[in-house]
Amino acid sequence: MTTITLENVTKRFEDVTAVESIDLEVEDGEFLVVVGPSGCGKSTTLRMLAGLESVSEGRIYIGGRDVTGLDPKDRNVSMVFQNYALYPHMTAERNMTFGMKSAGSFSDDEIERRVSEAAETLGIGDLLARKPAELSGGERQRVALGRALVRDPEVFLMDEPLSNLDAKLRVQMRAELAKLHGELETTTVYVTHDQTEAMTLGDRVVVMNDGEIQQVDTAQYLYDYPNNQFVAGFIGEPAMNMVGVEVEGTDGETVVSHPGFRIRLPETDELRRFDAGRAVLGVRPEDLSIVETDGDGADTFVATVTVTEPLGDSLLLYCEVEGDELQVQSAPRSAIEPGDPVTLTVDRDRLHLFDRETRAAVYHSDGTRARTPEVTATAETDD
Amino acid sequence: MGQREIYGERGSVLESLKEGRTGEAIDHFRGGLAAYLLLLPTLVVSLVFLYYPALRAVELSLYQTLMFGARRSYVGLGNYVSLATSSTYQWSVIITVVFAAIVVVGVMGFSLVVSFLLHEIEIGKSAYLIAAIWPYALPPAVAGIVFLFLIHPTIGMFTSVIEGLTPLTVDWFSRGRQAFLVVTIAVIWKQIGYNVIFMIAGMNNVPKTLTEAAELDGVSRWNRLLRIYVPLISPTLLFLVVMNTIYAFFGTFAFIDLMTQGGPGGATNIMIFDLYRNAFEFNNHGLASAQSVILFAIVSVLMYAQLRLSDRHVHYG
């Protein structure tokens, strides 16, 4: 059983706070992905787990053991680095065995057995005699994974391991990593800035910004019920549209009002309690659609197309409506040109409202209760 | 393959001429001319002050000379023969080779450990670095005098300390082995700073993630130095081996001159000092020239051997 617990972990570099009071629980065998923009504190968090950075405040437990002050080598973790960190003067095999041999706690037979097992798992058996300079990026990454594997650690830590690979190889390695984790079921913490990687790999995903955890949940839940405007904008490609609106309640019906449109909102308890008047409406590009009416119908409105981006499987339209821009994902191969007016409608079950001041989600239109950051940070998984 | 690929700039001049593009050919030639003009100052200095005197030294080594070479008589290889049969000179060669070996190994070993400690320490790094580099900032003559007074047999600062803590009697003005040891230590001490600068720079170039990977793997510090840093900075180390060899053979003259004058009893009479005395004390320029040619040959052979050996052991990342 290898769980990881971070309790109130803070990291300060002189007067800069890189990580602020993080509480996080990683379950045994879980693949947890930490995602966020550059400088959000995700790598620092991982390095604190590895013991490569000291902790300013708080405690870290691995498998129930307090490792806060322990040296990296005493934590029984393996780390895979973005630049692979292979020793350039050693062969792939020596790279994998060097640490074990130096540590001195493994017999030669044991080391040999583990190397051949790892080489077989990763398909690098015929590369063992080569030096890193003679390997391609993908092969180097496999060797780096092999080095992490042979030590049979309690925890794998991965710091953007796929970032140096080209796009095609990255997708391939992503699938292999997922498969590998399925076989080994070792608790893994994986850091990336790529939200697609985070969504596809993680059992759960931690979204970080400015040194703080914004939300921890399964990928789908993050996508469907973002906790705040940051998560809503960061998760999903193309990003969610955010438009400032007035929320008006008349005749038992709540309407969001914008100079260019009025949309009726499905009633929920939260909406009834919401009395701020102004809010930010969030709607994903695929939840907006073009309708073939003249725009007079309920919940429809007219916008002008400014840019079209054919993506192959869909056509992304940038539409302007009374000074605000909305991205709309529409069917491919349509004859829409920039300058054309289009009539749009929304999927009324897929609307979100965010508080203008706190930027927190206050309403999801399908009735799912918007969770506060305090709740989501320690939420149970939904699967 | 065009002329340009084969012959470089000149090739492209030929190519242009062949194709009847005279204007372009002149442009190319002007480009080449500019390069030679820019090289000219260095070429002139090298020719006048290095290659010409070197050739004259070889020539002079075949003569017996009087009065700064004003009178000379051709003796062929006579100077070389007398050197080869001189027991003083044979001893000087042995002393020099042993001295150089100890200096190169001592400087490199000591500097490596100092550099590694400087690389690892986190508090007061700059202060330690300055302290380590300081002796290098001194001219050799000043360093020699400083060391002379640090360990002077009668008035040296460290002399009484050494005599108090050990059963030794500091008497290197009359004891050959002590004199050899003192000069060797002084020469090593002077050169550590130079080596530390390069080694620290080399170690700082080793990617930080390699150190971190080693830390996670539980590789000990000593192993990290010997198995990771040393192979990765081996090109720097090779450069330093060459520089330290040259230093030991040629750059240590001031220490011998100021501290021991080659004595006592020839115990520190290294080749460069013996050569100097023959030339400028005994006015035997022919013999001194022959000595300089031999010194040059020995160092050249050593350089060649070092570079050939290193091909197998130096890792160029």
Side-chain angles (χ1 to χ4, degrees):
Chain A
M1 278 294 286
T2 308
T3 56
I4 304 173
T5 309
L6 283 82
E7 272 180 17
N8 197 27
V9 170
T10 298
K11 176 67 186 178
R12 277 185 287 271
F13 295 101
E14 293 176 357
D15 50 355
V16 178
T17 304
V19 175
E20 176 89 62
S21 301
I22 281 188
D23 285 301
L24 187 65
E25 189 88 35
V26 188
E27 288 163 23
D28 182 38
E30 185 176 11
F31 199 120
L32 185 87
V33 180
V34 184
V35 67
S38 296
C40 72
K42 56 189 190 299
S43 283
T44 307
T45 306
L46 193 77
R47 291 169 59 79
M48 286 193 285
L49 276 175
L52 297 171
E53 297 283 355
S54 61
V55 175
S56 304
E57 268 173 43
R59 321 272 344 147
I60 297 174
Y61 300 88
I62 294 178
R65 188 166 61 114
D66 186 348
V67 299
T68 315
L70 290 187
D71 281 342
K73 66 179 166 58
D74 299 324
R75 298 189 180 203
N76 200 13
V77 299
S78 278
M79 186 153 163
V80 181
F81 295 85
Q82 180 177 350
N83 64 0
Y84 322 125
L86 294 175
Y87 307 117
H89 56 296
M90 297 182 190
T91 61
E93 181 168 13
R94 182 105 174 95
N95 259 289
M96 289 162 73
T97 59
F98 178 60
M100 294 173 82
K101 285 191 171 158
S102 299
S105 46
F106 301 93
S107 70
D108 285 355
D109 290 347
E110 175 73 4
I111 291 173
E112 201 174 313
R113 186 181 62 76
R114 288 195 185 191
V115 168
S116 59
E117 270 178 22
E120 193 182 333
T121 309
L122 294 162
I124 52 171
D126 51 345
L127 307 175
L128 291 179
R130 293 198 206 164
K131 288 188 176 170
E134 298 156 352
L135 299 172
S136 70
E139 289 167 343
R140 280 181 217 179
Q141 193 51 277
R142 272 172 229 261
V143 174
L145 278 170
R147 180 169 69 181
L149 274 182
V150 288
R151 290 191 40 225
D152 193 19
E154 283 183 77
V155 175
F156 281 129
L157 303 174
M158 304 198 184
D159 191 2
E160 310 217 16
L162 306 184
S163 298
N164 283 12
L165 302 179
D166 64 52
K168 198 175 169 192
L169 200 55
R170 201 179 313 158
V171 174
Q172 191 190 331
M173 282 298 287
R174 204 165 71 197
E176 287 189 26
L177 274 180
K179 201 172 124 215
L180 192 64
H181 180 255
E183 285 170 23
L184 301 172
E185 294 185 336
T186 306
T187 310
T188 304
V189 181
Y190 183 107
V191 160
T192 178
H193 65 270
D194 180 341
Q195 54 108 7
T196 316
E197 247 171 55
M199 304 276 284
T200 51
L201 278 173
D203 293 332
R204 282 189 307 158
V205 178
V206 179
V207 183
M208 282 187 76
N209 189 35
D210 289 339
E212 292 180 21
I213 291 181
Q214 304 293 315
Q215 190 165 359
V216 187
D217 237 311
T218 57
Q220 196 61 51
Y221 202 94
L222 283 177
Y223 188 82
D224 290 341
Y225 307 109
N227 223 342
N228 54 36
Q229 256 179 274
F230 176 80
V231 178
F234 192 80
I235 300 291
E237 176 67 36
M240 184 186 279
N241 296 297
M242 310 268 185
V243 187
V245 290
E246 299 287 335
V247 182
E248 299 166 356
T250 47
D251 305 333
E253 195 178 59
T254 308
V255 176
V256 288
S257 163
H258 178 271
F261 56 81
R262 283 172 70 79
I263 298 168
R264 288 172 299 123
L265 295 180
E267 289 293 329
T268 68
D269 289 345
E270 282 163 304
L271 193 58
R272 274 187 284 277
R273 280 198 300 272
F274 184 73
D275 56 0
R278 300 170 71 205
V280 173
L281 173 71
V283 53
R284 293 208 177 270
E286 70 269 25
D287 298 327
L288 279 162
S289 49
I290 298 170
V291 285
E292 300 298 328
T293 63
D294 55 10
D296 289 343
D299 305 321
T300 64
F301 56 96
V302 178
T304 311
V305 176
T306 54
V307 177
T308 60
E309 283 184 357
L311 300 174
D313 59 341
S314 64
L315 180 69
L316 187 64
L317 306 175
Y318 290 72
C319 301
E320 203 240 303
V321 52
E322 294 296 332
D324 279 316
E325 187 176 77
L326 291 175
Q327 291 180 29
V328 181
Q329 214 161 22
S330 68
R333 292 176 283 277
S334 66
I336 299 170
E337 296 285 334
D340 288 352
V342 285
T343 304
L344 300 175
T345 188
V346 295
D347 180 345
R348 289 179 65 233
D349 286 336
R350 306 282 315 126
L351 301 174
H352 314 269
L353 285 182
F354 302 96
D355 189 300
R356 275 204 175 182
E357 303 301 322
T358 65
R359 297 164 66 87
V362 290
Y363 165 79
H364 301 300
S365 65
D366 69 353
T368 303
R369 203 164 67 82
R371 302 183 191 181
T372 62
E374 290 72 34
V375 175
T376 46
T378 52
E380 296 295 322
T381 48
D382 284 13
D383 57 355
Chain B
M1 196 181 281
Q3 299 270 9
R4 190 190 189 101
E5 281 84 348
I6 303 168
Y7 301 113
E9 191 65 25
R10 276 172 51 216
S12 64
V13 176
L14 292 177
E15 221 168 45
S16 307
L17 281 173
K18 233 181 350 190
E19 290 165 23
R21 290 171 294 152
T22 320
E24 207 176 303
I26 289 168
D27 283 349
H28 279 307
F29 181 70
R30 279 194 186 134
L33 189 67
Y36 285 115
L37 281 173
L38 287 167
L39 282 172
L40 194 63
T42 312
L43 284 173
V44 169
V45 170
S46 302
L47 283 171
V48 173
F49 294 105
L50 287 175
Y51 299 116
Y52 175 69
L55 287 175
R56 285 304 302 268
V58 174
E59 187 205 344
L60 201 57
S61 72
L62 305 176
Y63 290 85
Q64 198 160 25
T65 59
L66 278 172
M67 294 163 65
F68 284 98
R71 278 206 203 152
R72 59 185 199 178
S73 56
Y74 183 76
V75 291
L77 293 175
N79 285 327
Y80 293 98
V81 172
S82 62
L83 283 174
T85 51
S86 152
S87 62
T88 313
Y89 189 69
Q90 285 168 1
W91 178 242
S92 176
V93 172
I94 292 168
I95 284 285
T96 309
V97 171
V98 172
F99 174 76
I102 295 174
V103 167
V104 172
V105 172
V107 165
M108 303 278 297
F110 208 78
S111 303
L112 197 61
V113 173
V114 169
S115 305
F116 186 58
L117 292 175
L118 283 168
H119 181 260
E120 293 292 295
I121 200 162
E122 292 186 2
I123 300 162
K125 198 175 201 139
S126 311
Y128 288 118
L129 188 61
I130 290 168
I133 293 172
W134 205 292
Y136 175 59
L138 301 174
V142 178
I145 290 173
V146 168
F147 215 84
L148 176 65
F149 284 104
L150 285 178
I151 198 164
H152 191 282
T154 48
I155 58 167
M157 278 171 66
F158 291 159
T159 309
S160 55
V161 179
I162 293 168
E163 288 182 342
L165 294 175
T166 65
L168 292 174
T169 308
V170 177
D171 186 19
W172 54 278
F173 281 7
S174 55
R175 295 190 192 185
R177 282 192 183 177
Q178 272 196 26
F180 185 85
L181 185 69
V182 167
V183 171
T184 308
I185 291 171
V187 161
I188 290 173
W189 168 72
K190 167 76 175 75
Q191 192 68 353
I192 284 170
Y194 179 80
N195 281 254
V196 164
I197 294 170
F198 284 95
M199 287 180 185
I200 278 273
M203 285 180 192
N204 285 341
N205 274 340
V206 173
K208 200 162 167 256
T209 46
L210 290 188
T211 307
E212 292 176 345
E215 274 179 39
L216 280 158
D217 278 348
V219 178
S220 68
R221 285 195 175 196
W222 187 240
N223 257 341
R224 184 145 52 85
L225 171 64
L226 294 183
R227 303 280 171 78
I228 299 176
Y229 290 172
V230 166
L232 290 182
I233 65 170
S234 53
T236 305
L237 297 180
L238 170 67
F239 164 76
L240 288 172
V241 167
V242 172
M243 295 311 286
N244 291 331
T245 306
I246 293 170
Y247 167 74
F249 275 94
F250 299 107
T252 50
F253 168 80
F255 288 91
I256 305 287
D257 189 37
L258 285 161
M259 294 173 78
T260 64
Q261 290 279 316
T268 57
N269 188 25
I270 61 169
M271 290 167 81
I272 188 81
F273 187 74
D274 197 46
L275 182 166
Y276 158 80
R277 278 212 307 198
N278 274 327
F280 300 107
E281 282 185 18
F282 310 138
N283 276 328
N284 202 343
H285 288 87
L287 192 69
S289 295
Q291 282 185 298
S292 75
V293 171
I294 292 170
L295 186 55
F296 171 75
I298 290 175
V299 175
S300 303
V301 168
L302 275 177
M303 297 290 105
Y304 180 75
Q306 283 168 357
L307 293 172
R308 280 302 298 270
L309 270 177
S310 66
D311 279 352
R312 258 176 281 156
H313 300 290
V314 172
H315 170 83
Y316 294 96

